[in-house]
Amino acid sequence: MVTLHVVGREDAGAFAADRILSRAAVGTLSALGVATGSSAEPVYAALAPHPDAGRLLAGTTAYALDEYVGLGPDHPDSYRATLTRQYVAPLGLDPARLRTPDGAAADPDAEAARYEAELRARGGVDLQLLGIGANGHIGFNEPGADLAGGAHVVTLAERTRRDNARFFARPDLVPHRALTQGIGTILRATEIVLLAFGEAKADALARALEGPRTAAVPASVLPGHPAVTVLADAAAASRLTRVGAA
Ligand code: F6R
């Protein structure tokens, strides 16, 4: 079931941060699924200055959705380094509380299996933050993905490499492959909060929330999950017709 809130970026960040901290405060957030990229940034920006966030999240383990193959934890463009800068360091958390697949692993397929086993042992995260790709991906589950699969290695769609080139010094430095939680992994989360901002996400969001469940739009699995909150700005929500705004 999807609940939609049409809100600006900053309010969306505050809303998600509040949800995270309220759950941490009542002891129902031992595992938080964290996303990387522009959409989740307002959440980390809202958590960072919060006076209680570091204390409340000190006992929560964060699990990254994905990591680039070939970028080790010390590479500044790795998702581990990005999440360390945006989430772990500002809150003064123990770096061991951030779990990520190792992009520098010698055997990426084995590393994906290890990460899936770790998440499975956990039983799924309590709250998963998600962004959505302009092509409808969640995590790095690109169109055509297995809608029930576990963590695995993917070849990034050219659209995704182009969209993410803004985070790299040069477009050709964007890796071609990534380790990602599978859609089955993501759907084990008890609660999902999806953030989407800007016109570039409007089509993907409409197809995800109002179209048929299809591997062509990996995010179209979300309406089948029992507890999804979508925080979208007016531009990203502009092509939604049936899902009413709360
Ligand atoms: C990031 C991730 C991706 C992004 C998506 C949107 O960990 O898994 O699915 O959430 O590509 O990216 P942004 O938010 O940069 O538009």
Side-chain angles (χ1 to χ4, degrees):
M1 206 201 91
V2 174
T3 306
L4 171 72
H5 296 278
V6 180
V7 281
R9 284 177 68 92
E10 210 174 309
D11 287 344
F15 185 107
D18 186 58
R19 182 74 194 142
I20 288 168
L21 294 177
S22 325
R23 290 204 52 183
V26 296
T28 62
L29 192 72
S30 70
L32 171 67
V34 287
T36 320
S38 308
S39 309
E41 280 172 6
V43 185
Y44 307 131
L47 288 173
H50 194 288
D52 301 322
R55 177 180 57 81
L56 288 170
L57 291 170
T60 294
T61 303
Y63 290 89
L65 272 172
D66 35 28
E67 181 59 281
Y68 290 114
V69 169
L71 304 193
D74 296 329
H75 192 292
D77 293 325
S78 71
Y79 278 177
R80 178 161 195 102
T82 305
L83 287 165
T84 298
R85 282 192 303 272
Q86 295 180 346
Y87 172 73
V88 175
L91 300 183
L93 301 175
D94 178 353
R97 287 285 181 188
L98 173 63
R99 307 293 302 153
T100 55
D102 181 0
D107 181 345
D109 292 314
E111 175 60 8
R114 184 205 63 73
Y115 196 52
E116 177 69 17
E118 181 177 344
L119 283 153
R120 220 169 238 289
R122 187 99 219 183
V125 299
D126 299 303
L127 189 156
Q128 177 68 56
L129 293 174
L130 286 183
I132 181 170
N135 65 1
H137 73 210
I138 49 174
F140 276 137
N141 294 280
E142 302 284 28
D146 175 354
L147 296 185
H152 60 291
V153 177
V154 287
T155 298
L156 296 173
E158 272 315 302
R159 172 80 200 254
T160 300
R161 292 191 66 245
R162 260 200 325 274
D163 287 347
N164 286 5
R166 68 189 190 283
F167 295 113
F168 289 80
R170 288 198 327 263
D172 59 298
L173 296 176
V174 183
H176 288 268
R177 293 192 304 156
L179 290 142
T180 183
Q181 289 190 26
I183 293 176
T185 327
I186 292 170
L187 291 178
R188 283 202 300 272
T190 316
E191 173 180 2
I192 293 175
V193 176
L194 174 91
L195 301 111
F197 308 112
E199 165 69 24
K201 302 295 175 73
D203 185 51
L205 197 63
R207 292 173 73 199
L209 302 187
E210 298 187 345
R213 182 179 184 279
T214 166
V217 183
S220 65
V221 297
L222 294 174
H225 184 281
V228 178
T229 301
V230 174
L231 305 173
D233 67 2
S238 61
R239 285 187 214 151
L240 294 171
T241 56
R242 292 204 307 272
V243 180

